Amino acid sequence: MSHSDGPAVQEPRAQQAEMQRLTVQNSPVAGTTRRPSSVSLLGSELKQLFRRRRTQAMLLALAAIPVVIAVVVRVSSAVPPGRGPAFLDRISQNGLFVAVTAMLVSVPLFLPLTIGVVAGDTIAGEAGLGTLRYLLVAPAGRVRLLLVKYAGAAVFCISAPLAVALAGAGIGWALFPVGPVALLSGDLVEPDEALVRMLLIAAYQAVSLLGLSAIGLFLSTLTDVPVGAMAATIVLSVVSQVLDQLPQLEWLHPWLFTHYWFGFADLLRQPIGWDSFGDNALLQAGYIAVFGALAYGRFVSKDVLS
Amino acid sequence: MTATWLRWTPAVAVPAVIAAGVLAGSLPASARDPLPEKTPAQVLAMIGQHQTKSFSGTVEQSSELGLPDVPQVGPTSGAGTGSLAELLTGPHSARVYVDGPSRARIQVMDRMAERDAVRQGNELWLYNSKDNTATHVTLPANASKESRSHDMPAGVATPEELAAKMLDKLDGSTEVAVAEDTEVAGRTAYNLVLTPRSDVTLVGSVAVAVDGENGMPLSVEVRARGQQEPAFRTAFSTLTLGAPDASLFNFSPPPGASVKELAVPAKPSGTRDLADRNRTRSNPADRDLGSKDQSEKDSAHKDLRGHAPTVTGSGWERIVGIPAHSASARSPESGKQPVDRLLNDPLLRQATVTVEGGRAISTSLVNVLLTDDGRTFVGSVPLERLQAAAAAR
């Protein structure tokens, strides 16, 4: 991602910001002995997350996917149906398909990549910068810190697919005609309902990524090197997708956190099939519970030296 | 200071709870009231009598025929959705909506794509989202009547008589029994099991689950000899009785779709298809591969006008030999022969192996031998039998 973010350059500034953040939280105005409220903790966490160049760059990169797709389709000749990613041939007829195609394309790699960076950075990033102990000196409590960190990653999980969807709908609107959208079933829905379905797909993808975030959070508690946790999270998402393709491991497939990642096609049918949404949510909840508990066990019993 | 092991307790407890939940969920549901005992003839009669005309449900189909799998990777829609054999590999699920004899919709849910068949009165639409093509068929006006009579030939005999007759006919080659009740789509069902009396056939058994309340067939399972997994299984996973939303049956192709008008075949095969699917959603491709349904086979024979295939053996050991083909060229309106169509399928082409005397496609239920001189032998028997039959002439 962005290279300007190397710890060597960034450390003093980040540390300063961190200290500032902590002093704000502990300032006499807010009450000297009271623990900072969870809301303000989350607020400062989100502020820190979304003010980072890296986070902004990642969201911009995600938003660039539909733009690239739309421009390429616009300048090239008609795409024959059945080639390339699904829906690619529909874009020239209806701009809203840019968003669907882009969301589809970003599922296997781009989204997990960004989530891996954010989730892997949660605890290990603070440890790597040497700010973790300050956070723990502040009377926030380790459990609350863990929860706030996870909530921050979860907010990113929501915003990442949303960035793709909104950029896709916007660029599609600008470059192509927009009209009633043909669903997979062949039925037509009005553009406003199509937008609702697109938001549903974004919600589906956000839910899909929550399990991966929990894994990233746990890996992040294991190390002080954020890059290690990030890479491990991304690698796991790829490994899971590869395992999902091996017919010999069929018994394992429903347990892989990537198994339902492409299931959002059911939201494009008429009537909407909610089964995959429910299955996916249940599976991700299981991953959150398991890896959340692991992260808790690790983080609470960890000796924080940095 | 909490002991370290206490902090790790959740990490152990959560997976344990999940495992316990999964185990509890997978246990067979507590025994319901058992259905009243019935003889096979009574269960068959129930199927004939069933009056379920309106329902919606999801059908899951899985096949373990030993054909190569189609890998589905990445954001492209399912590979080879146009391929017939693709329906015979791997799992598929479809949503079925039926309202009376003349309104039905079937949605085969592929990965990032969907195939639809919508029937509203005499209008039949086929739609494939992958290549965005639609086919329109106008069925003859009397089609729905015909389909009814096909559905229930009760004008000839009462279901009970028919069932008894069928059993009589079957008895020579097949043992028919009612096994322990099963549960399909949350409904208790009779389990009608047909076991071939022959030792030669590849088919181990055919089981049909029949709804204990209304006699509707809920699942069909074909087992092959020496294979743990069912070779072919299609079953409702959810079933709701009652009329589905009427708007589902209004279909017009989306703008941009390429629409093809199809001439009505002399014999409305589309109607028959729908009627069949209403019952068990038997797969057209499955039929082509030689399902053991006698009437289907007979009608397939009639398609090969003037080029009569030979049939050797009887019952489950039957082998159908098709002479070197020329029939398809002679009767273009009947479409290509099913066998031809299947053999030109890229997937099956890939599955053929060279054997003594020709090439063969082996599946766990059916073997096909294509001799070097262009003849085709199909049978649910070991390959050696087919080779023997080919050599005999």
Side-chain angles (χ1 to χ4, degrees):
Chain A
M1 292 290 116
S2 69
H3 294 285
S4 66
D5 221 338
V9 189
Q10 205 69 356
E11 197 164 345
R13 211 178 66 194
Q15 212 159 14
Q16 205 180 9
E18 196 58 43
M19 294 302 285
Q20 237 170 24
R21 191 171 126 214
L22 294 170
T23 39
V24 168
Q25 279 157 12
N26 292 332
S27 67
V29 187
T32 39
T33 50
R34 275 194 11 230
R35 286 148 62 101
S37 80
S38 300
V39 176
S40 71
L41 261 185
L42 181 60
S44 67
E45 168 66 23
L46 287 180
K47 226 182 274 173
Q48 193 207 13
L49 176 63
F50 284 95
R51 270 191 191 157
R52 293 190 96 155
R53 285 275 166 75
R54 184 171 66 195
T55 313
Q56 293 166 357
M58 286 194 301
L59 287 176
L60 272 179
L62 284 173
I65 297 170
V67 175
V68 169
I69 292 176
V71 170
V72 166
V73 171
R74 182 85 185 133
V75 299
S76 65
S77 52
V79 185
R83 297 193 52 192
F87 312 116
L88 193 64
D89 55 306
R90 314 285 168 83
I91 289 177
S92 54
Q93 297 155 18
N94 196 327
L96 290 178
F97 276 110
V98 176
V100 183
T101 312
M103 283 197 274
L104 185 64
V105 168
S106 55
V107 166
L109 187 62
F110 298 119
L111 284 176
L113 203 68
T114 55
I115 301 303
V117 169
V118 170
D121 191 52
T122 44
I123 302 294
E126 302 280 2
L129 290 176
T131 47
L132 188 55
R133 57 188 148 159
Y134 299 112
L135 282 175
L136 294 177
V137 165
R142 294 191 178 195
V143 179
R144 272 217 300 174
L145 181 66
L146 205 59
L147 286 176
V148 163
K149 282 289 182 187
Y150 184 69
V155 170
F156 185 80
C157 287
I158 296 167
S159 50
L162 215 53
V164 181
L166 293 181
I171 191 79
W173 209 294
L175 292 185
F176 299 101
V178 167
V181 174
L183 299 172
L184 287 177
S185 310
D187 301 71
L188 288 179
V189 293
E190 293 303 313
D192 50 348
E193 200 200 322
L195 275 178
V196 171
R197 296 216 181 197
M198 251 162 245
L199 293 180
L200 280 176
I201 295 178
Y204 186 102
Q205 295 189 334
V207 171
S208 299
L209 295 169
L210 287 178
L212 181 63
S213 297
I215 295 172
L217 182 74
F218 168 60
L219 293 174
S220 191
T221 60
L222 294 180
T223 172
D224 289 350
V225 187
V227 174
M230 295 175 193
T233 312
I234 295 160
V235 165
L236 272 182
S237 84
V238 174
V239 167
S240 173
Q241 292 182 66
V242 170
L243 293 182
D244 205 15
Q245 299 300 335
L246 299 178
Q248 288 81 0
L249 297 176
E250 212 163 293
W251 55 272
L252 184 69
H253 290 174
W255 298 97
L256 294 171
F257 62 95
T258 56
H259 184 64
Y260 297 104
W261 275 11
F262 283 103
F264 60 83
D266 289 358
L267 299 172
L268 291 172
R269 305 187 199 278
Q270 185 77 341
I272 294 182
W274 290 105
D275 288 359
S276 53
F277 202 114
D279 290 347
N280 185 34
L282 193 66
L283 180 73
Q284 303 299 335
Y287 268 91
I288 294 170
V290 170
F291 283 91
L294 281 171
Y296 166 81
R298 167 68 186 167
F299 190 53
V300 170
S301 53
K302 180 183 185 175
D303 288 328
V304 175
L305 301 172
S306 53
Chain B
M1 191 77 191
T2 339
T4 309
W5 63 266
L6 207 56
R7 293 164 176 157
W8 285 99
T9 315
V12 179
V14 169
V17 167
I18 291 177
V22 168
L23 273 181
S26 68
L27 286 179
S30 53
R32 296 194 187 186
D33 296 339
L35 295 167
E37 293 269 327
K38 287 208 172 175
T39 64
Q42 282 170 320
V43 176
L44 272 176
M46 269 181 90
I47 303 179
Q49 264 170 331
H50 91 87
Q51 295 285 326
T52 320
K53 284 177 187 156
S54 303
F55 61 88
S56 47
T58 311
V59 176
E60 304 281 346
Q61 179 203 307
S62 62
S63 322
E64 290 287 340
L65 290 171
L67 289 170
D69 252 355
V70 193
Q72 303 203 326
V73 196
T76 51
S77 46
T81 41
S83 151
L84 261 177
E86 184 264 341
L87 278 171
L88 288 176
T89 60
H92 290 277
S93 77
R95 296 193 292 191
V96 184
Y97 303 91
V98 177
D99 185 8
S102 63
R103 299 208 290 177
R105 178 163 193 165
I106 296 147
Q107 304 180 315
V108 181
M109 300 196 279
D110 300 312
R111 185 188 168 94
M112 291 299 150
E114 186 171 306
R115 279 166 284 178
D116 273 54
V118 191
R119 183 177 168 202
Q120 165 96 287
N122 296 327
E123 307 269 311
L124 175 67
W125 280 102
L126 305 170
Y127 178 72
N128 185 347
S129 86
K130 197 193 177 203
D131 46 12
N132 203 11
T133 54
T135 309
H136 182 225
V137 186
T138 309
L139 304 168
N142 59 352
S144 59
K145 247 188 245 159
E146 246 174 72
S147 122
R148 279 324 289 166
S149 66
H150 175 87
D151 235 5
M152 226 202 301
V156 194
T158 66
E160 284 85 357
E161 287 170 3
L162 204 77
K165 222 182 264 176
M166 241 175 105
L167 270 182
D168 265 0
K169 223 173 161 188
L170 276 175
D171 197 46
S173 62
T174 314
E175 193 186 323
V176 184
V178 178
E180 218 172 300
D181 297 348
T182 60
E183 200 180 299
V184 180
R187 305 173 71 90
T188 323
Y190 290 107
N191 196 7
L192 195 66
V193 182
L194 293 83
T195 318
R197 290 194 200 277
S198 155
D199 286 338
V200 179
T201 176
L202 299 172
V203 179
S205 69
V206 180
V208 183
V210 181
D211 193 303
E213 273 171 42
N214 57 25
M216 183 172 160
L218 297 179
S219 80
V220 175
E221 190 175 282
V222 185
R223 288 185 174 274
R225 288 249 157 95
Q227 184 176 305
Q228 193 96 44
E229 300 279 307
F232 179 82
R233 181 184 152 86
T234 175
F236 280 103
S237 61
T238 63
L239 179 67
T240 316
L241 299 179
D245 187 0
S247 66
L248 276 172
F249 304 112
N250 299 329
F251 185 87
S252 53
S258 52
V259 180
K260 201 169 68 178
E261 286 287 335
L262 204 68
V264 183
K267 224 173 139 192
S269 62
T271 348
R272 207 186 54 196
D273 267 358
L274 276 177
D276 276 351
R277 288 186 205 178
N278 290 357
R279 308 174 128 229
T280 57
R281 195 180 153 271
S282 77
N283 202 315
D286 165 54
R287 189 161 55 227
D288 289 346
L289 255 191
S291 84
K292 295 280 97 54
D293 191 329
Q294 226 44 60
S295 68
E296 294 298 351
K297 222 171 208 179
D298 292 342
S299 75
H301 295 175
K302 278 177 210 142
D303 278 350
L304 311 171
R305 266 158 252 156
H307 230 92
T310 56
V311 178
T312 49
S314 67
W316 297 90
E317 298 169 29
R318 191 171 299 225
I319 297 171
V320 180
I322 300 164
H325 57 82
S326 56
S328 59
R330 212 184 294 167
S331 55
E333 85 278 11
S334 70
K336 277 196 217 151
Q337 297 175 23
V339 178
D340 263 10
R341 208 168 55 218
L342 264 185
L343 294 182
N344 284 329
D345 192 283
L347 259 180
L348 277 189
R349 213 173 256 270
Q350 199 189 335
T352 52
V353 288
T354 310
V355 294
E356 197 186 326
R359 290 175 305 139
I361 303 171
S362 288
T363 70
S364 53
L365 284 181
V366 179
N367 278 326
V368 181
L369 175 68
L370 310 152
T371 59
D372 291 328
D373 53 6
R375 291 174 300 157
T376 308
F377 291 86
V378 184
S380 185
V381 291
L383 193 58
E384 298 81 63
R385 286 233 161 190
L386 293 181
Q387 285 168 322
R393 289 197 305 157

